[in-house]
């Protein structure tokens, strides 16, 4: 039988590994992933998306008549 301790053996200023789950790869999910990585060291991120690709609302919906000044 293994004994588990509630106190980890590490220094006070050592960053512990942090696991984050982001639901959705729309603009908010993508930006959350970018900002978390910029600001939090030792981070393990997992992003879940229900669609086949990223984009959220912009991936799922089509907007007839909506145009962009850039060629894509």
């Amino acid at each position: 039988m293994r004994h588990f301790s509630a106190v980890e053996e590490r220094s006070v200023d050592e960053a512990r590994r942090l696991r984050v789950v982001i639901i959705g790869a729309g603009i908010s999910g993508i930006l959350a992933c970018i900002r978390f990585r910029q600001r939090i060291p030792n981070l393990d991120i997992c992003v879940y998306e229900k669609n086949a690709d990223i984009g959220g609302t912009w991936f799922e919906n089509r907007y007839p008549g909506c145009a962009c000044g850039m060629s894509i």
Side-chain angles (χ1 to χ4, degrees):
M1 186 167 166
R2 297 165 87 187
H3 181 269
F4 293 99
S5 174
V7 178
E8 293 181 21
E9 294 294 327
R10 62 180 172 85
S11 65
V12 173
D13 59 345
E14 181 183 339
R16 67 182 175 95
R17 190 121 186 104
L18 185 65
R19 294 182 295 183
V20 173
V21 174
I22 298 174
I23 308 297
I27 191 67
S28 295
I30 293 168
L31 287 175
C33 187
I34 291 168
R35 293 295 188 208
F36 281 148
R37 287 201 181 277
Q38 288 174 341
R39 291 176 169 84
I40 303 171
N42 211 7
L43 189 65
D44 182 20
I45 295 180
C46 183
V47 180
Y48 289 100
E49 173 58 48
K50 68 176 181 168
N51 294 316
D53 204 355
I54 64 170
T57 298
W58 297 100
F59 177 78
E60 288 185 0
N61 301 310
R62 302 291 177 248
Y63 300 93
C66 185
C68 178
M70 299 172 49
S71 61
I72 298 176

